[in-house]
Amino acid sequence: MTDIDSLRPLMADGPRRIACPDEPAYLAAWQAHALPWADALLPMAVAAGRIADRLAWVFQAGYQAACRDAFPDVRSSGWIAYAASEDRKNDPPLPGVTLADGCLNGFKTWVAGARSLQQLAIKLGSGPDAHYLLIPRDTPGLTVLPGHTRRFLSEMSQGQAHFDRTPLAATTALDPRRIKHFGLVEPLYVYAAFCGFVLGSTDEPDLVACARDCLAAIAPALQSVGGTLDRAHLGQADTRAQDLLARLSDNRLQAAGNWLSDQRLISMYSGNVQRHVQGH
């Protein structure tokens, strides 16, 4: 359920910010306070955002809801990641993932929460012939490499997945019907988590009102994805999320982590969301 009624308990009350200096600490807090909402993804994103003490965890809060929205048949008590990206930078590039003789080989080059994920969803192939597979982290031939620390969202491990004769028989085929909406639902769930972050961090009336107004637009926008898109509420959700970010200049809520670098998490989605608002 994504209607606003499902959010009222979390908007009025709910868990508050928890100090989580590293990924294992936030994962444990997420499992305790957000996972119980797994059957209602928008509340799950808000609950996960309420306990976040930095924007790296706000991203994971929204991202986990978005991945479950994209692949609704996935059931996991831990984190999942959706890996579609392949190497376009190195010379020569790392080989992408291919299927031969019943095995997967190659690389996916961006995996969120690489140290902590339990399951990995991947895109195999491209275009209308693409397939989507779910692979447990401990599958033979799959190595998840955490990678180097990055400046942006640096507390969250960001790495690669390497497949070396990983048996296709160990994977599960995923229904692809929702994945085409991932580029829209991801920002909406991240915005929702950001609103939760504000609600879990302060009782200042202007910020609380702005966060609640944003969530009131997000709920119907999300509910319309996959049908007749509610562009009016989608535009309002983006405008209010950006307004909320502007109100937090100079790290008004004293978030942990690198606020100066990480605040673009919210602004970076706006262009894509506005293209959907304009019908492009």
Side-chain angles (χ1 to χ4, degrees), residues 100-137:
D101 300 324
C103 293
L104 300 171
N105 293 281
F107 291 83
K108 292 293 183 182
T109 53
W110 192 76
V111 178
R115 293 186 187 278
S116 305
L117 68 87
Q118 188 178 83
Q119 297 182 86
L120 183 67
I122 70 163
K123 180 180 181 180
L124 178 64
S126 60
D129 295 326
H131 297 277
Y132 298 86
L133 305 172
L134 184 68
I135 305 127
R137 185 196 185 102

Coordinates of all heavy atoms in Angstrom, one line a residue, residues 100-137:
A100 N 27.2 -18.7 -21.1 CA 27.7 -19.8 -22.0 C 27.8 -21.1 -21.3 O 28.3 -21.1 -20.1 CB 29.1 -19.3 -22.6
D101 N 27.4 -22.2 -22.0 CA 27.5 -23.5 -21.4 C 26.8 -23.6 -20.0 O 27.3 -24.3 -19.1 CB 29.0 -24.0 -21.3 CG 29.7 -24.0 -22.6 OD1 29.0 -24.4 -23.6 OD2 30.8 -23.7 -22.7
G102 N 25.7 -22.8 -19.9 CA 25.0 -22.9 -18.6 C 25.6 -22.2 -17.5 O 25.1 -22.3 -16.3
C103 N 26.6 -21.3 -17.7 CA 27.3 -20.6 -16.7 C 27.3 -19.1 -17.0 O 27.4 -18.7 -18.2 CB 28.7 -21.1 -16.5 SG 28.7 -22.8 -15.8
L104 N 27.4 -18.3 -16.0 CA 27.6 -16.8 -16.1 C 29.0 -16.5 -15.9 O 29.7 -17.0 -15.0 CB 26.7 -16.1 -15.1 CG 25.2 -16.3 -15.1 CD1 24.6 -15.6 -13.9 CD2 24.6 -15.7 -16.4
N105 N 29.5 -15.6 -16.8 CA 30.9 -15.1 -16.7 C 30.9 -13.6 -16.9 O 30.1 -13.1 -17.8 CB 31.8 -15.8 -17.7 CG 32.0 -17.2 -17.4 OD1 32.8 -17.6 -16.5 ND2 31.3 -18.1 -18.1
G106 N 31.8 -12.8 -16.2 CA 31.9 -11.4 -16.5 C 31.7 -10.6 -15.2 O 31.7 -11.1 -14.1
F107 N 31.5 -9.3 -15.5 CA 31.5 -8.3 -14.4 C 30.3 -7.4 -14.4 O 29.9 -7.0 -15.5 CB 32.7 -7.4 -14.4 CG 34.0 -8.1 -14.1 CD1 34.7 -8.8 -15.0 CD2 34.6 -8.0 -12.8 CE1 35.9 -9.4 -14.8 CE2 35.8 -8.7 -12.5 CZ 36.4 -9.4 -13.5
K108 N 29.8 -7.0 -13.3 CA 28.9 -5.9 -13.1 C 29.6 -4.9 -12.3 O 30.2 -5.3 -11.3 CB 27.6 -6.3 -12.4 CG 26.7 -7.2 -13.3 CD 26.1 -6.5 -14.5 CE 25.1 -7.3 -15.3 NZ 24.6 -6.6 -16.5
T109 N 29.6 -3.6 -12.7 CA 30.6 -2.7 -12.2 C 30.1 -1.8 -11.1 O 30.9 -1.0 -10.5 CB 31.2 -1.9 -13.3 OG1 30.2 -1.3 -14.0 CG2 32.1 -2.8 -14.2
W110 N 28.9 -1.8 -10.7 CA 28.4 -1.0 -9.6 C 27.4 -1.7 -8.8 O 26.3 -2.0 -9.2 CB 27.9 0.4 -10.0 CG 27.7 1.3 -8.8 CD1 28.7 2.0 -8.1 CD2 26.5 1.6 -8.1 NE1 28.2 2.7 -7.1 CE2 26.9 2.5 -7.0 CE3 25.2 1.2 -8.2 CZ2 25.9 2.9 -6.1 CZ3 24.2 1.7 -7.3 CH2 24.6 2.6 -6.3
V111 N 27.8 -2.0 -7.5 CA 27.0 -2.8 -6.6 C 26.9 -2.0 -5.3 O 27.9 -1.8 -4.7 CB 27.5 -4.2 -6.3 CG1 26.7 -4.9 -5.3 CG2 27.7 -5.0 -7.6
A112 N 25.7 -1.6 -5.0 CA 25.5 -0.8 -3.7 C 25.5 -1.7 -2.5 O 24.9 -2.8 -2.5 CB 24.2 0.0 -3.8
G113 N 26.1 -1.3 -1.4 CA 26.1 -2.1 -0.2 C 26.9 -3.4 -0.4 O 26.5 -4.4 0.1
A114 N 27.9 -3.3 -1.2 CA 28.6 -4.6 -1.6 C 29.1 -5.4 -0.5 O 29.1 -6.7 -0.6 CB 29.8 -4.2 -2.5
R115 N 29.5 -4.8 0.6 CA 30.0 -5.6 1.8 C 28.9 -6.4 2.5 O 29.1 -7.4 3.1 CB 30.7 -4.8 2.8 CG 32.0 -4.2 2.3 CD 32.7 -3.4 3.4 NE 33.9 -2.7 2.9 CZ 35.1 -3.3 2.8 NH1 35.2 -4.6 3.0 NH2 36.1 -2.6 2.3
S116 N 27.6 -5.8 2.4 CA 26.6 -6.3 3.2 C 25.4 -7.0 2.5 O 24.5 -7.5 3.2 CB 26.0 -5.1 4.0 OG 27.1 -4.4 4.7
L117 N 25.4 -7.0 1.2 CA 24.2 -7.5 0.5 C 24.1 -9.0 0.7 O 25.0 -9.7 0.9 CB 24.2 -7.1 -0.9 CG 25.3 -7.8 -1.9 CD1 24.8 -9.1 -2.4 CD2 25.6 -6.8 -3.0
Q118 N 22.8 -9.4 0.7 CA 22.5 -10.8 0.8 C 22.2 -11.5 -0.5 O 22.5 -12.6 -0.8 CB 21.3 -11.0 1.8 CG 20.9 -12.4 2.2 CD 19.8 -12.4 3.1 OE1 18.6 -12.4 2.7 NE2 20.1 -12.5 4.4
Q119 N 21.5 -10.7 -1.4 CA 21.2 -11.2 -2.7 C 21.4 -10.1 -3.8 O 21.4 -8.9 -3.5 CB 19.7 -11.6 -2.8 CG 19.3 -12.7 -1.8 CD 17.9 -13.1 -2.0 OE1 17.5 -13.8 -2.8 NE2 17.0 -12.5 -1.1
L120 N 21.7 -10.6 -5.0 CA 22.0 -9.7 -6.1 C 21.1 -9.9 -7.2 O 21.0 -11.1 -7.7 CB 23.5 -9.9 -6.5 CG 24.0 -9.0 -7.6 CD1 24.1 -7.5 -7.1 CD2 25.4 -9.5 -8.1
A121 N 20.4 -8.9 -7.7 CA 19.6 -9.0 -8.9 C 20.4 -8.4 -10.1 O 21.0 -7.3 -9.9 CB 18.3 -8.2 -8.8
I122 N 20.5 -9.1 -11.2 CA 21.3 -8.6 -12.3 C 20.5 -8.6 -13.6 O 19.5 -9.3 -13.7 CB 22.6 -9.4 -12.5 CG1 22.3 -10.8 -13.1 CG2 23.4 -9.5 -11.3 CD1 23.5 -11.5 -13.7
K123 N 20.9 -7.7 -14.5 CA 20.4 -7.7 -15.8 C 21.3 -8.5 -16.8 O 22.5 -8.2 -16.8 CB 20.2 -6.3 -16.3 CG 19.6 -6.1 -17.7 CD 19.5 -4.6 -18.1 CE 18.9 -4.4 -19.4 NZ 18.8 -3.0 -19.8
L124 N 20.8 -9.4 -17.5 CA 21.6 -10.2 -18.4 C 21.1 -9.9 -19.8 O 19.9 -10.2 -20.2 CB 21.4 -11.7 -18.1 CG 22.1 -12.7 -19.0 CD1 23.7 -12.5 -18.9 CD2 21.8 -14.1 -18.7
G125 N 22.0 -9.3 -20.6 CA 21.6 -8.9 -22.0 C 21.1 -7.5 -22.0 O 21.2 -6.8 -21.0
S126 N 20.5 -7.1 -23.1 CA 20.0 -5.8 -23.3 C 18.7 -5.8 -24.1 O 18.4 -6.7 -24.8 CB 21.0 -4.9 -23.9 OG 21.4 -5.4 -25.2
G127 N 18.0 -4.6 -24.1 CA 16.8 -4.5 -24.9 C 15.7 -5.4 -24.5 O 15.7 -5.9 -23.4
P128 N 14.8 -5.7 -25.4 CA 13.6 -6.5 -25.1 C 14.0 -8.0 -24.8 O 13.2 -8.7 -24.2 CB 12.7 -6.4 -26.3 CG 13.7 -6.0 -27.4 CD 14.7 -5.1 -26.8
D129 N 15.2 -8.4 -25.1 CA 15.6 -9.8 -24.9 C 16.3 -9.9 -23.6 O 16.8 -11.0 -23.2 CB 16.5 -10.3 -26.0 CG 15.8 -10.3 -27.3 OD1 14.6 -10.6 -27.3 OD2 16.4 -10.1 -28.4
A130 N 16.4 -8.9 -22.8 CA 17.1 -8.9 -21.5 C 16.4 -9.8 -20.5 O 15.2 -10.0 -20.6 CB 17.3 -7.5 -20.9
H131 N 17.2 -10.5 -19.7 CA 16.6 -11.3 -18.6 C 17.1 -10.8 -17.3 O 18.2 -10.1 -17.2 CB 17.1 -12.8 -18.8 CG 16.6 -13.4 -20.0 ND1 15.4 -14.0 -20.1 CD2 17.2 -13.6 -21.2 CE1 15.2 -14.5 -21.4 NE2 16.3 -14.3 -22.0
Y132 N 16.4 -11.1 -16.2 CA 16.7 -10.6 -14.9 C 16.8 -11.8 -14.0 O 15.9 -12.6 -13.9 CB 15.7 -9.5 -14.4 CG 15.7 -8.3 -15.3 CD1 14.9 -8.3 -16.5 CD2 16.5 -7.2 -15.1 CE1 14.9 -7.3 -17.3 CE2 16.5 -6.1 -15.9 CZ 15.7 -6.2 -17.1 OH 15.7 -5.1 -17.9
L133 N 17.9 -11.8 -13.2 CA 18.2 -13.0 -12.4 C 18.5 -12.6 -11.0 O 19.1 -11.6 -10.7 CB 19.4 -13.8 -13.0 CG 19.3 -14.2 -14.4 CD1 20.7 -14.8 -14.9 CD2 18.2 -15.3 -14.6
L134 N 18.1 -13.4 -10.0 CA 18.4 -13.2 -8.6 C 19.4 -14.3 -8.2 O 19.2 -15.5 -8.4 CB 17.1 -13.3 -7.8 CG 17.3 -13.1 -6.3 CD1 17.6 -11.6 -6.0 CD2 16.0 -13.4 -5.5
I135 N 20.5 -13.8 -7.6 CA 21.6 -14.7 -7.2 C 22.0 -14.5 -5.7 O 22.3 -13.3 -5.4 CB 22.8 -14.4 -8.1 CG1 22.4 -14.5 -9.6 CG2 23.9 -15.4 -7.8 CD1 22.8 -13.4 -10.4
P136 N 21.9 -15.5 -4.9 CA 22.4 -15.4 -3.5 C 23.9 -15.0 -3.5 O 24.6 -15.5 -4.4 CB 22.1 -16.7 -2.9 CG 21.1 -17.4 -3.8 CD 21.3 -16.8 -5.2
R137 N 24.3 -14.3 -2.5 CA 25.7 -13.8 -2.5 C 26.6 -15.0 -2.4 O 27.7 -14.9 -3.0 CB 25.9 -12.9 -1.2 CG 27.3 -12.3 -1.2 CD 27.7 -11.8 0.2 NE 28.9 -11.2 0.1 CZ 29.2 -9.8 0.0 NH1 28.1 -9.0 0.0 NH2 30.4 -9.4 0.0

